[in-house]
Amino acid sequence: MSKNQIKKDVSTRTRRGIIDLLKEQGGMDVVALSSQFSLSGMAIRQHLNALKEEGLVMNVEESRPMGRPAKLWVLTPAANRFFPSGYSDLSVSLIHSIKEAFGNEGLDKLLDVRNKNMQEQYLQHLGGISDIREKLEKLAEIRTIEGYMAEVKTQDDGSFLLIEKHCPICEAAAVCTGLCKNELHLFQTVLGNNVHIERGEYILAGGRNCIYTVRQNKP
């Protein structure tokens, strides 16, 4: 392999790494990216400018309490192609076909069957766990395998955040809101009646993530 090819491969891996990190962390400045990749600011800017030319990243400004706004780099919607899509085109086509053939009632029945099957699968993994934090960690693990890039964070008030940073069924959910409605019911079912769960930030409503707040009910 030639030196030019090696250099090209390294650049490709670095740029894909930047895309993955921005998906995981959200907006980041050049300093933060430089520290993650052990590269100079100039080298990181070169990679970012190349990604910008491809339409994959863009600049935004974030206000700070003091000083100038921070200049952050974020992904554009075009970067979604690097992440699982859940066979979006096929899913959307099938949803339209089901509506045409069986109406909304038929689609609702299909979603009920899908939700029931997912409940059974999730409960097989979560059924023997009693601690809510452990349940959420296991749920996040399952969702990550499915392409949702999920994680759990503990809040100061003792509640938890289940954060999903990617939606592999986004296109399908946009034309079938029942998918997201059933998802919230699914989480409530598998986590149990001793918790209250609500969705705050929502990707389909323009949010960067889907964020669920989970609180244990008082005895």
Side-chain angles (χ1 to χ4, degrees):
M1 184 181 294
S2 68
K3 289 183 179 180
N4 286 338
Q5 184 61 45
I6 293 173
K7 185 177 180 181
K8 183 179 179 181
D9 290 346
V10 171
S11 293
T12 299
R13 288 196 297 270
T14 301
R15 290 169 191 173
R16 177 57 201 264
I18 289 172
I19 290 172
D20 289 342
L21 191 61
L22 290 178
K23 184 70 172 178
E24 178 76 20
Q25 301 294 333
M28 298 179 71
D29 60 22
V30 170
V31 174
L33 286 166
S34 298
S35 65
Q36 289 289 328
F37 291 94
S38 300
L39 294 172
S40 67
M42 182 180 293
I44 285 293
R45 286 188 182 91
Q46 289 176 348
H47 288 302
L48 288 169
N49 286 331
L51 291 170
K52 185 177 181 180
E53 288 181 5
E54 294 181 50
L56 300 173
V57 300
M58 63 182 181
N59 298 118
V60 297
E61 288 190 346
E62 181 178 82
S63 299
R64 296 293 166 87
M66 298 181 64
R68 295 180 178 179
K71 184 177 181 181
L72 304 180
W73 290 87
V74 299
L75 297 180
T76 68
N80 282 334
R81 72 172 188 261
F82 291 94
F83 302 95
S85 64
Y87 305 100
S88 57
D89 291 341
L90 176 60
S91 299
V92 170
S93 177
L94 284 173
I95 288 169
H96 286 308
S97 296
I98 292 168
K99 281 185 177 180
E100 184 177 345
F102 304 106
N104 288 327
E105 184 178 349
L107 181 60
D108 288 341
K109 287 182 179 179
L110 180 64
L111 291 177
D112 287 342
V113 172
R114 175 183 181 272
N115 198 49
K116 181 180 178 181
N117 290 338
M118 291 184 71
Q119 283 181 20
E120 292 175 354
Q121 293 171 15
Y122 283 20
L123 286 172
Q124 286 180 359
H125 297 285
L126 276 68
I129 304 173
S130 57
D131 180 77
I132 184 60
R133 171 79 196 208
E134 291 183 25
K135 272 191 175 183
L136 283 169
E137 291 285 2
K138 189 63 180 179
L139 179 60
E141 179 184 324
I142 296 169
R143 298 291 285 182
T144 295
I145 292 171
E146 293 176 352
Y148 290 88
M149 298 178 69
E151 68 170 337
V152 178
K153 290 186 177 180
T154 304
Q155 300 294 90
D156 292 338
D157 63 359
S159 65
F160 303 95
L161 296 180
L162 174 63
I163 303 170
E164 296 185 337
K165 302 171 185 176
H166 179 63
C167 179
I169 61 166
C170 200
E171 287 82 0
V175 298
C176 180
T177 55
L179 284 168
C180 292
K181 181 180 178 181
N182 282 6
E183 192 171 72
L184 188 59
H185 180 262
L186 169 67
F187 291 166
Q188 181 69 68
T189 301
V190 299
L191 292 175
N193 294 327
N194 63 329
V195 302
H196 174 74
I197 180 169
E198 58 185 17
R199 181 165 47 212
E201 191 173 335
Y202 186 30
I203 291 175
L204 280 182
R208 187 169 65 84
N209 305 309
C210 282
I211 301 179
Y212 300 85
T213 301
V214 181
R215 293 183 175 89
Q216 288 187 293
N217 295 326
K218 294 181 179 180

